Amino acid sequence: MMNEQEAKKRIIELTKQLNKYDYHYYVQDNPLIADAQYDALRRELIALEKQYPQFVQPDSPNRRVGPPQAGSNAFPPVHYEIPMLSISDAWSDAEIRAFDQRVKAQLGVTAVTYMGEPKYDGLSCNLRYENGLLTRGSTRGDGRTGEDVTPNARAIHAIPLRLRGDAPALVEVRGEVIMPKAAFKRLNKEQAAAGLPLFANPRNAGAGSLRQLDPAVTARRGLLFFGWGIGLRQGWDPQTQYELLKQLEAWSFRVDPHRRLCANIDDALAYHREMTKIREQLPFDIDGIVIKVNNLAWQVKLGHTSHAPRWAIAYKFPAREATTKVKDIIVQVGRTGAVTPVVILEPVNIGGAVVERATLHTAELVRQKDIRIGDTVTVKRAGDVIPEVVAPITALRTGKERIFHMPKTCPVCGAPLEKDGAYWICPNAACPAQLVGRIVHLASRRAFDIHGLGEKSVQQMIDHHLLHDPADVFRLQVDDLAQLPGWGPKRAQNLAAEIEQHKTIILARFLNALSIRGVGFRAAELLAKYFGTLAALQAADEAAITAVPSIGPNVARNIVHFFAEPHNQALIQKMLDAGVTIQPAKGITA
Ligand SMILES: [Zn+2]
C-alpha cells in the first residue's frame, strides 16, 4: 500500500507519462506503446485518482472529457482583444505580386521574407493558456466575439491540456480544428448506418462536432487541431512567424510539416504550385495556402483593415465547382424509411470525376435552395465526398423550370409518407425498398454477421418469395434455397449452416440489426450496456431512454415508437420463435 506522498508522486508521474503518450499518438501519429500497456497505466491512474482526489492534476488525461452540458447558454460569448480577422483571398499570381508590392511600399523595404502555410478548410479557434494550462477554448465567431467551447476543446486529444516545457504567464494559441477525410468518411458511414442525415463535407462535420452539448461526442469524432498563430500573450515575444510556429510545435501542438519559409514572393508562388499538386494526397482538406510576412514587428506595422490583416493573403486553389443542368429530382427510400430527394444532373466533369447525381437530404433543403427541375446549377465536389448542389443560377431561367414537390406517398410501396422532424418517412416496415436494405443490414458485420446475404442474394430471395420480412432469414429452408437460379444444394447448405451458427447474438448487435431510425451500432452498444436486456429496453419510456448518455430525445422517441408498433413486435417474436437467442449485455443476468 502506498502512503499519501508516494501516491501523489505516482499520480503526477502517470499524468505526465500518459500525456506524453497521448502527444505521440495524437500529434505525432507515432504511438510509443501498445494500447494494452497504455490502458493499464490509465487504469492505475484512475484508481489512484479515485482514492486520492485531492492530488488529481489539472491536466489529467482522465479529465479530458467532461459530462454533457445543459442546452441553454452552453456556448457563452467570448470577446477577443486581438480580433481573429479573416484573411483576404486571391486567385492569381498577379494578385499575389500586387500584395507583395503593397507590403514593400508600405514598409519602405525592397526584400520581404514570407511564411507559407497550408490554408485549412476547418474551423478557426482560440485556445487560452494561463501558466501553461488550457483555461478556455473558443470559436472564431465573427472574429471579435466567438463562442466558448472549452469542454469540447478539452475533449480533442490533439489539443494539449498543458503546454510542454516552459510556458509564458499567458498565451492565446490560434489554429484550426479540422476533421481528417478518414474520420469524416467513418462518421458518415455511422450516420448512414443509423439512418441519420449525412454531413455535406468535413468542414460542416467538424463544426457540428465542436458545438456538441456532450463532449464525449466531440471526443469520438477524431478531430485534429493545427496551430497557426497567436493572440494575446504575456511573457513571450517571438520575432518571426517561423519562430512562433516552432514554439507552438515545442509546446506539443500539431503545426503543419508542409509549411515553408519563402525568401521572396517567387518562392511563395512556387510553394503554391507544389501544394496544388499534393493537396489531394493530404489526409485533410486544404483550399489554398496562406502567405504571411515573416517578421512579426512588420506585421504590427502593416496592421489591418477593418476586416483583414494587411500582412497576409490567402492564395486559393482553383475551385472544384462546375455548372450543369438539373435533369430531374427524384426521391429514394432508404433502409430506415427516410425518403430523400436526389438531384439527377447532366453528367459533368469536376476535377477529374464525373458527377451525375447529388443528394439534398431533405425536401426542405430543395425548397430553401430553390432548386428547380431544368435549372442550371453550380455543383461542388470536395475531396471524395458526395457532390453538393450549391445554388441555381437564376439568371439562366427560362420560365420552363418546374418546382419539385415531395410525393405524398412512398414511390415504392404507395404508403402515405409521414413527417419526422425534417424528414419524410415511409412508415411501412414491410416496404420493399426498405426490405432489401434492412435484411442486408441485419446480416452485416456488426449485426448478425451472416456471410452470403449481400444485396444481390437478398433481392433474389425476395423476388422468389423466400423473404417477406427480415425474420424470414431464420426460416429459410435448404431445399428452397437450392432451387434458386445459380444456387444448388452445396451453396444452400452453406448459407443455412452460416445462419444457424449466428442465431445466438449479443444484445447490442441485435438492437443494431433491427434498423431502428437513429440506432446504429454505437447507440445500440450504449443501450445494451444501460438496459442489459431487450425486455428492459422495451419496457422503457422516452424519459428512461433519454437518461442513457449520448441518446437524445429524437432517438428515444424512435425507439419507443418502434417497439410500440405491432408489426415490429410480431417481427421480433418471429425471430425468437425461429431460434434467435439474445444474450444479455455483459455482466448483467437477465
Ligand atoms: Zn414504402
Side-chain angles (χ1 to χ4, degrees):
M1 191 77 190
M2 279 185 198
N3 67 32
E4 276 210 351
Q5 275 319 302
E6 286 165 348
K8 184 178 177 186
K9 210 179 132 201
R10 183 67 180 152
I11 286 175
I12 292 173
E13 195 177 277
L14 282 170
T15 302
K16 226 173 160 175
Q17 220 172 345
L18 287 166
N19 280 335
K20 183 174 113 185
Y21 295 143
D22 274 353
Y23 166 71
H24 281 273
Y25 188 93
Y26 292 104
V27 176
Q28 297 282 8
D29 292 328
N30 177 28
L32 289 187
I33 58 167
D35 289 356
Q37 278 174 293
Y38 178 92
D39 288 341
L41 293 173
R42 175 125 188 225
R43 277 197 303 274
E44 185 189 345
L45 180 59
I46 290 173
L48 281 171
E49 286 179 341
K50 215 168 158 187
Q51 205 181 344
Y52 301 98
Q54 69 272 34
F55 299 142
V56 174
Q57 299 295 296
D59 59 335
S60 164
N62 299 321
R63 292 288 167 97
R64 261 200 186 277
V65 183
Q69 308 178 74
S72 57
N73 288 327
F75 311 113
V78 173
H79 182 75
Y80 296 122
E81 272 184 57
I82 300 180
M84 296 183 76
L85 298 174
S86 54
I87 292 173
S88 309
D89 289 336
W91 300 90
S92 67
D93 283 11
E95 286 172 89
I96 298 300
R97 289 191 188 283
F99 161 76
D100 180 49
Q101 290 306 319
R102 282 198 303 275
V103 166
K104 285 174 178 165
Q106 202 186 331
L107 291 172
V109 298
T110 51
V112 177
T113 306
Y114 293 101
M115 193 70 210
E117 300 168 34
K119 184 175 192 308
Y120 308 101
D121 199 6
L123 206 71
S124 300
C125 285
N126 186 74
L127 304 173
R128 187 181 170 95
Y129 289 85
E130 293 172 47
N131 297 312
L133 282 175
L134 175 64
T135 53
R136 193 176 65 205
S138 47
T139 62
R140 176 177 171 275
D142 64 6
R144 289 187 166 77
T145 308
E147 284 183 318
D148 188 332
V149 291
T150 307
N152 296 334
R154 289 178 61 90
I156 298 172
H157 283 92
I159 291 179
L161 297 177
R162 183 196 290 275
L163 302 179
R164 202 171 47 160
D166 291 336
L170 170 73
V171 62
E172 289 181 344
V173 174
R174 291 176 172 179
E176 206 88 349
V177 169
I178 58 162
M179 181 174 283
K181 291 173 192 168
F184 173 73
K185 268 192 187 166
R186 197 173 60 225
L187 174 62
N188 259 357
K189 222 169 149 183
E190 283 171 18
Q191 293 282 110
L196 295 171
L198 303 186
F199 290 99
N201 52 53
R203 192 185 183 286
N204 289 0
S209 304
L210 200 58
R211 294 184 84 266
Q212 290 286 329
L213 291 175
D214 183 359
V217 175
T218 311
R220 279 204 304 271
R221 295 271 171 96
L223 299 173
L224 295 181
F225 177 85
F226 279 94
W228 47 243
I230 50 174
L232 281 183
R233 69 271 198 182
Q234 278 166 22
W236 176 48
D237 205 13
Q239 304 301 303
T240 63
Q241 175 72 12
Y242 178 84
E243 178 195 337
L244 183 163
L245 295 178
K246 270 267 179 240
Q247 184 59 58
L248 295 190
E249 216 166 36
W251 280 333
S252 71
F253 287 97
R254 263 180 194 260
V255 179
D256 205 296
H258 293 97
R259 67 186 187 272
R260 185 179 303 167
L261 193 60
C262 304
N264 51 47
I265 207 66
D266 287 328
D267 272 8
L269 293 175
Y271 173 64
H272 178 262
R273 284 192 293 275
E274 282 168 42
M275 291 305 286
T276 307
K277 276 184 217 147
I278 66 160
R279 64 184 292 205
E280 295 282 356
Q281 298 150 30
L282 297 178
F284 40 81
D285 285 333
I286 62 172
D287 55 11
I289 61 161
V290 182
I291 300 168
K292 299 175 183 171
V293 170
N294 188 43
N295 184 321
L296 296 185
W298 284 1
Q299 286 189 7
V300 174
K301 205 168 162 191
L302 288 160
H304 54 80
T305 66
S306 62
H307 56 273
R310 290 198 189 88
W311 45 266
I313 194 160
Y315 192 175
K316 304 290 282 277
F317 295 138
R320 280 175 297 188
E321 278 189 3
T323 57
T324 186
K325 265 195 136 164
V326 175
K327 288 208 303 205
D328 201 359
I329 300 177
I330 60 167
V331 292
Q332 74 184 10
V333 187
R335 164 172 68 82
T336 57
V339 181
T340 49
V342 176
V343 181
I344 307 294
L345 302 163
E346 262 172 27
V348 60
N349 190 316
I350 309 178
V354 176
V355 173
E356 295 179 82
R357 44 168 62 202
T359 313
L360 272 168
H361 304 308
T362 65
E364 179 59 20
L365 210 54
V366 179
R367 202 188 58 78
Q368 268 174 21
K369 292 194 172 187
D370 189 23
I371 292 160
R372 304 179 188 178
I373 300 161
D375 261 342
T376 300
V377 291
T378 24
V379 181
K380 186 171 150 190
R381 190 178 73 93
D384 29 28
V385 304
I386 311 166
E388 180 189 355
V389 177
V390 182
I393 302 172
T394 48
L396 293 179
R397 279 190 179 150
T398 62
K400 286 184 184 161
E401 294 75 19
R402 286 182 295 124
I403 290 174
F404 165 78
H405 292 286
M406 196 69 189
K408 298 269 178 286
T409 56
C410 173
V412 177
C413 73
L417 299 184
E418 288 175 8
K419 197 87 196 263
D420 177 11
Y423 291 86
W424 286 95
I425 305 296
C426 168
N428 176 10
C431 172
Q434 299 172 49
L435 190 56
V436 178
R438 288 175 60 151
I439 293 175
V440 170
H441 177 72
L442 173 135
S444 66
R445 198 170 57 80
R446 296 211 278 190
F448 276 92
D449 194 21
I450 298 167
H451 288 256
L453 279 179
E455 208 173 308
K456 255 179 150 172
S457 317
V458 169
Q459 188 64 60
Q460 194 185 19
M461 291 175 210
I462 292 172
D463 292 345
H464 287 81
H465 309 290
L466 299 188
L467 296 175
H468 304 93
D469 63 46
D472 279 338
V473 165
F474 304 101
R475 299 161 58 125
L476 286 170
Q477 300 296 318
V478 176
D479 292 348
D480 294 336
L481 289 171
Q483 281 167 29
L484 289 172
W487 280 62
K490 182 96 180 90
R491 186 173 166 195
Q493 274 159 15
N494 285 347
L495 180 61
E498 171 76 12
I499 293 169
E500 195 57 40
Q501 258 177 37
H502 291 90
K503 273 186 176 170
T504 300
I505 186 169
I506 58 167
L507 181 56
R509 285 165 174 269
F510 183 78
L511 293 176
N512 181 31
L514 292 177
S515 289
I516 304 169
R517 278 175 51 71
V519 181
F521 183 67
R522 278 176 197 277
E525 266 186 317
L526 295 169
L527 290 164
K529 204 169 144 197
Y530 191 89
F531 288 102
T533 64
L534 179 63
L537 175 59
Q538 281 176 308
D541 60 10
E542 286 182 35
I545 297 173
T546 314
V548 181
S550 300
I551 302 288
N554 288 340
V555 174
R557 199 180 53 232
N558 289 344
I559 294 169
V560 170
H561 279 191
F562 183 90
F563 288 121
E565 171 67 43
H567 280 114
N568 295 329
Q569 291 168 2
L571 191 78
I572 291 170
Q573 194 53 50
K574 192 169 159 185
M575 287 196 221
L576 299 177
D577 290 346
V580 169
T581 309
I582 306 165
Q583 293 174 322
K586 224 189 266 172
I588 295 166
T589 44

